[in-house]
Amino acid sequence: MFVDDEPQILRAISRMLDCADVDWDFRTAPSGREAIDALQGACVDILVTDMRMPGMDGAELLDHVRRHHPETSRVILSGQADRDTMYRAVLPMHQFLSKPCDAQTLRDVLARTDSIRSTYGSRQAHRMVGEISSLPSTPGMLERIVAEVNSKHGSIQKVGGLLACDPGLTAKTLQLANSAMFGNNGSEFSATQAARAIGIEAMQALVSMLEYLTPIEIPQIAGFCFEQYVDHAQRVARIGCQIARLEGLNLQCQRESYTAGLLHDIGRLVSVSHVDSQPALVGAGSNSGGRHFWQPKPQISEVADDNLGGYLLGLWGLPHEIVQAVAHHRRPAECRTDHPTTAAVVCAADCIAHESFDPWSDAETEQCEALLAKLGLPGRLNAWRSAVTDKE
């Protein structure tokens, strides 16, 4: 569904889709209110809305859709808008496209969103992921970032370094930096790159909004220890970056490996944020003998959480390599790419990080080794295991 108060825009979009080689059903609405009425009797996979409209603007519309139709993916297609209005859209939107937007870019975003939905989604996953607008952050982290951006000598490099310690904040910042909201082209792979692309002034407003308008409480669930979750994510990120460096991969691959390692279990945060709508997590926690920061009931599989993570990051427009690595780090052979380097690195890093407290099964380890052999790196898992342990 396309929503815009300018009839010529809707006619142009309709002509573009009529001429495109795609099999999509679509409808249009000239206002937010009419879109809401139409949603009552229609199943809409993707909603694309203008921002500046009389009456209900795009931010209000997307917030309504997030709360009442979370299974619908949400895209903004808008020209210039004031910063306050733009910031209100940060939470309910999934992606942002800037007018004028060429037909190919719009088709590509719609096709990728459709592919992400069909690849990783299910009826329950559409709702779970669609309800997410931001993720829990490490206690005190937002306050530290706010202090840095408000400091007279605040450094965007330091802000990026703080973000890079927190999976949830890294994911949200990368979502914004890889959108057209700040004039970027979708090629940011690290928290520091993302913070630099957004800029100190915009970061100041964004983190303040996240801190004061939408505080996200860390789930209090038996068997889930958030601190251990973050520690594990950071460890996989460091090991992944070290592996990429050992193999002589370029700086972009090193950044990809670190970021994908930090985000590899991001689906777990989606899962634990919905304890009221699915079975609770039980078992190992901070006092459970050190096995892991979580233990799922049999109904909740790690693969399901990996799909949730890939789904969320794909919907947020993060780079394809990171999405693939997150979604397939426990089953890398399923990566849909000819060059699954980042996925292989994160797979190996997670395997190594797990060995001290919750070792992978033989089958999982063999799958990792098989992928490395396919990439021309046979036996490298053992070499990496020895090399990174002492350096961490």
Side-chain angles (χ1 to χ4, degrees):
M1 178 181 290
F2 296 90
V3 187
D4 200 303
D5 64 306
E6 297 186 40
Q8 66 271 26
I9 297 293
L10 295 179
R11 286 195 296 269
I13 291 174
S14 296
R15 287 195 300 269
M16 179 270 290
L17 290 181
D18 285 337
C19 296
D21 185 22
V22 292
D23 185 23
W24 295 331
D25 296 322
F26 66 94
R27 61 181 63 193
T28 61
S31 71
R33 290 295 175 190
E34 292 188 48
I36 288 175
D37 291 341
L39 284 168
Q40 300 305 314
C43 178
V44 174
D45 294 327
I46 307 172
L47 185 140
V48 183
T49 182
D50 186 25
M51 177 65 78
R52 299 179 67 180
M53 297 184 292
M56 173 180 285
D57 66 18
E60 292 177 277
L61 172 59
L62 291 193
D63 187 58
H64 176 92
V65 174
R66 182 186 69 81
R67 289 183 284 109
H68 298 284
H69 305 279
E71 67 281 359
T72 298
S73 301
R74 306 178 292 273
V75 179
I76 289 176
L77 174 60
S78 185
Q80 294 299 317
D82 62 272
R83 277 294 171 93
D84 289 342
T85 302
M86 300 282 276
Y87 291 150
R88 287 194 296 108
V90 162
L91 292 177
M93 78 171 192
H94 289 140
Q95 293 191 59
F96 183 99
L97 297 174
S98 181
K99 290 180 181 176
C101 178
D102 64 87
Q104 188 60 52
T105 297
L106 180 57
R107 286 197 297 266
D108 287 348
V109 168
L110 294 176
R112 186 187 186 213
T113 301
D114 183 50
S115 176
I116 289 289
R117 289 175 60 89
S118 61
T119 300
Y120 302 120
S122 65
R123 193 168 189 175
Q124 184 186 32
H126 292 326
R127 295 191 65 85
M128 290 174 68
V129 172
E131 289 174 358
I132 296 294
S133 56
S134 59
L135 295 162
S137 60
T138 306
M141 183 60 74
L142 275 172
E143 290 85 347
R144 292 174 64 189
I145 295 173
V146 168
E148 182 63 34
V149 297
N150 286 331
S151 169
K152 182 179 179 180
H153 304 291
S155 161
I156 201 67
Q157 188 76 18
K158 290 182 180 178
V159 171
L162 291 170
L163 289 169
C165 296
D166 188 281
L169 291 176
T170 289
K172 190 66 182 178
T173 307
L174 284 168
Q175 177 202 16
L176 303 180
N178 281 285
S179 76
M181 180 175 282
F182 298 97
N184 302 316
N185 60 7
S187 59
E188 311 302 336
F189 292 91
S190 72
T192 301
Q193 281 182 307
R196 194 178 295 121
I198 292 173
I200 193 78
E201 182 180 344
M203 283 300 306
Q204 183 179 32
L206 292 172
V207 297
S208 295
M209 177 195 66
L210 289 172
E211 181 185 24
Y212 296 115
L213 297 184
T214 56
I216 305 296
E217 294 186 4
I218 296 171
Q220 299 297 313
I221 304 170
F224 180 81
C225 177
F226 186 81
E227 290 76 13
Q228 291 182 16
Y229 165 87
V230 173
D231 286 346
H232 175 70
Q234 292 174 347
R235 186 172 187 225
V236 173
R238 291 194 302 269
I239 293 175
C241 190
Q242 288 174 27
I243 290 173
R245 199 177 300 124
L246 284 169
E247 291 303 313
L249 301 180
N250 62 35
L251 185 57
Q252 178 175 306
C253 286
Q254 294 175 34
R255 287 170 171 166
E256 285 178 21
S257 298
Y258 182 93
T259 301
L262 187 71
L263 302 181
H264 78 285
D265 270 338
I266 204 75
R268 180 60 48 173
L269 290 187
V270 178
S271 178
V272 300
S273 296
H274 290 80
V275 292
D276 293 333
S277 60
Q278 69 170 21
L281 304 177
V282 296
S286 55
N287 298 315
S288 60
R291 283 282 296 164
H292 207 348
F293 51 85
W294 54 263
Q295 278 290 349
K297 282 186 176 181
Q299 299 97 317
I300 307 174
S301 70
E302 177 126 3
V303 168
D305 278 346
D306 293 349
N307 278 341
L308 288 176
Y311 191 176
L312 178 68
L313 300 184
L315 206 57
W316 281 6
L318 268 67
H320 177 74
E321 295 83 358
I322 292 176
V323 173
Q324 288 277 295
V326 169
H328 299 289
H329 70 275
R330 290 297 282 253
R331 46 202 170 99
E334 297 180 22
C335 273
R336 297 183 178 184
T337 174
D338 294 331
H339 305 285
T341 306
T342 302
V345 168
V346 174
C347 173
D350 192 39
C351 179
I352 293 169
H354 270 277
E355 288 175 345
S356 61
F357 59 93
D358 186 24
W360 282 18
S361 69
D362 290 342
E364 289 174 319
T365 303
E366 287 170 4
Q367 196 177 127
C368 178
E369 291 175 332
L371 178 63
L372 294 176
K374 182 180 177 182
L375 293 174
L377 300 169
R380 296 300 286 162
L381 185 61
N382 283 331
W384 293 339
R385 184 183 288 117
S386 302
V388 301
T389 302
D390 294 334
K391 290 183 180 180
E392 189 188 349

